[in-house]
Amino acid sequence: MKALITGITGFVGSHLAEYLLAKGHIEVHGSYRLRSRMNHIRHLQSSIHLTECELKDPHSVSQMIQSVQPDLIFHLAAQSFVPTSWNSPTETLVNNIAGQVNLFEAVRKQGLSSKILIACSSEEYGLVHPEETPIKETNPLRPLSPYAVSKVAQDYLGYQYHESYGLHVIRTRTFNHTGPRRGESFVTSNFAKQIAEIELGLRPPVIHVGNLEAKRDFTDVRDVVRAYWLALEKGVPGETYNIASGTAYKISDMLQLLLSLSGHSIKIETDPARLRPSDVEILLGDASKFSAQTGWKPEIPFETTMKDLLNYWRTELRTAGEAPQA
């Protein structure tokens, strides 16, 4: 069986590649761009097959699909950082929407029966009223960022291509997920890195934060990639599934948990540059539909996730400090 992961060099992609390889019977392929950082998959490169591909280029995508002939496609590649979408809305929309259309068209035109997972986002729900939580898949979509709009488009394109052309598409709306290798721009990882830097004496004992009042539903990335596998194994084509832990943590509580894992006294300061034009107040998901269909449930406690994330940054920074200077 051949599996293709777009965005294999990224946070989720690297964990998914590890998960698929561990199964022992799957040939793992992945797409990357010339400017992709390879550090997350360096330990896997002898076991996977990489293809350079610009997803915005239909010819490049068509060549990749023709060459790989994948049975499974996990479409993870995207501009996924919400603040960047405010600064580069056009690039975010073009990157996320055009890349997926090119992928669908390549599969459709080559007559493949690939099972395709589209990694959508809880950000699609956007403005959620308190009485609407926990959020079900039937909740109205009220996106509050260009990124969220791009994900709504990806979501509906998945539905449209299934209905119009019979493509085997599963759409997952994943709520916040984190863990080792999470990009430092994302809140859990950013806080963890700042704490690790303070511990190593690389910065003063002050952590800079944005909005601490928002509430988010966090799932460990290792639970998420297991969910993605189950989505293609047991999910119903054309359906949408929430992937969530069912527990919402206030960002301030998440920060306090990280601080409790450090023996240092650290001051908290708000940085106005970290505040967004608009923010989603609460994202708390109901994954009961997905659990009923696949049997999935999160297994890794949030405290373990945070400890592993902090230890990841401790190791990364310590290793960087030990590297010889050029």
Side-chain angles (χ1 to χ4, degrees):
M1 181 180 290
K2 293 182 180 180
L4 171 65
I5 304 171
T6 68
I8 195 172
T9 63
F11 163 56
V12 180
S14 63
H15 283 283
L16 179 58
E18 287 177 339
Y19 180 83
L20 296 179
L21 287 170
K23 288 194 166 293
H25 67 283
I26 299 173
E27 187 176 294
V28 179
H29 295 252
S31 71
Y32 73 99
R33 294 187 291 185
L34 280 177
R35 61 179 180 272
S36 297
R37 294 179 60 190
M38 310 299 283
N39 53 312
H40 289 340
I41 60 166
R42 194 160 286 123
H43 62 298
L44 301 174
Q45 282 188 254
S46 62
S47 304
I48 59 178
H49 307 267
L50 296 175
T51 301
E52 181 194 340
C53 180
E54 174 51 68
L55 293 176
K56 290 184 290 185
D57 175 12
H59 180 66
S60 180
V61 176
S62 180
Q63 283 188 317
M64 175 179 67
I65 294 300
Q66 187 171 30
S67 172
V68 176
Q69 298 277 303
D71 302 292
L72 309 174
I73 298 175
F74 298 89
H75 181 45
L76 310 182
Q79 191 303 96
S80 59
F81 189 42
V82 174
T84 296
S85 78
W86 291 108
N87 299 325
S88 304
T90 301
E91 173 62 20
T92 298
L93 292 165
V94 170
N95 185 82
N96 294 356
I97 299 171
Q100 182 170 299
V101 170
N102 291 337
L103 192 65
F104 282 170
E105 284 293 288
V107 171
R108 181 180 74 84
K109 289 178 179 178
Q110 294 178 37
L112 301 182
S113 56
S114 311
K115 293 182 177 181
I116 308 171
L117 177 125
I118 303 302
C120 298
S121 171
S122 60
E123 288 284 333
E124 295 175 54
Y125 294 115
L127 178 61
V128 176
H129 303 302
E131 66 272 14
E132 294 175 330
T133 59
I135 304 166
K136 294 182 178 291
E137 291 85 352
T138 52
N139 206 77
L141 305 182
R142 309 182 189 102
L144 288 176
S145 69
Y147 166 74
V149 171
S150 76
K151 284 294 173 179
V152 171
Q154 286 188 246
D155 195 326
Y156 283 159
L157 279 166
Y159 174 78
Q160 184 252 307
Y161 268 76
H162 169 70
E163 290 295 318
S164 301
Y165 304 113
L167 264 62
H168 187 118
V169 178
I170 305 289
R171 298 167 287 151
T172 54
R173 294 176 185 160
T174 309
F175 284 65
N176 294 64
H177 42 297
T178 189
R181 304 181 204 144
R182 189 50 158 153
E184 64 182 274
S185 299
F186 295 85
V187 63
T188 51
S189 198
N190 186 273
F191 289 174
K193 184 184 181 185
Q194 288 189 67
I195 292 170
E197 288 173 334
I198 291 168
E199 291 176 342
L200 291 170
L202 300 176
R203 65 187 299 145
V206 179
I207 188 166
H208 294 93
V209 304
N211 176 20
L212 296 181
E213 296 304 306
K215 295 179 179 179
R216 294 292 182 267
D217 184 327
F218 291 104
T219 303
D220 191 289
V221 63
R222 293 159 291 193
D223 280 330
V224 168
V225 298
R226 182 168 52 85
Y228 287 168
W229 167 261
L230 289 170
L232 287 193
E233 186 179 47
K234 298 182 177 181
V236 177
E239 285 295 324
T240 304
Y241 298 102
N242 284 341
I243 297 175
S245 72
T247 302
Y249 291 87
K250 209 171 183 179
I251 299 300
S252 59
D253 293 336
M254 177 272 291
L255 174 57
Q256 289 302 322
L257 173 58
L258 280 172
L259 291 172
S260 74
L261 298 172
S262 174
H264 286 61
S265 178
I266 299 173
K267 182 181 178 182
I268 301 171
E269 287 187 1
T270 300
D271 179 0
R274 293 171 178 261
L275 301 174
R276 302 175 182 177
S278 65
D279 207 350
V280 179
E281 180 181 345
I282 180 171
L283 285 174
L284 172 59
D286 180 341
S288 58
K289 175 182 175 183
F290 185 66
S291 296
Q293 182 64 36
T294 67
W296 177 87
K297 62 180 180 179
E299 297 176 349
I300 301 173
F302 186 55
E303 293 77 7
T304 301
T305 305
M306 290 294 97
K307 180 183 287 188
D308 290 350
L309 177 57
L310 182 55
N311 285 335
Y312 164 77
W313 277 115
R314 286 166 172 161
T315 301
E316 286 289 297
L317 294 170
R318 199 173 294 118
T319 304
E322 294 170 355
Q325 298 298 311

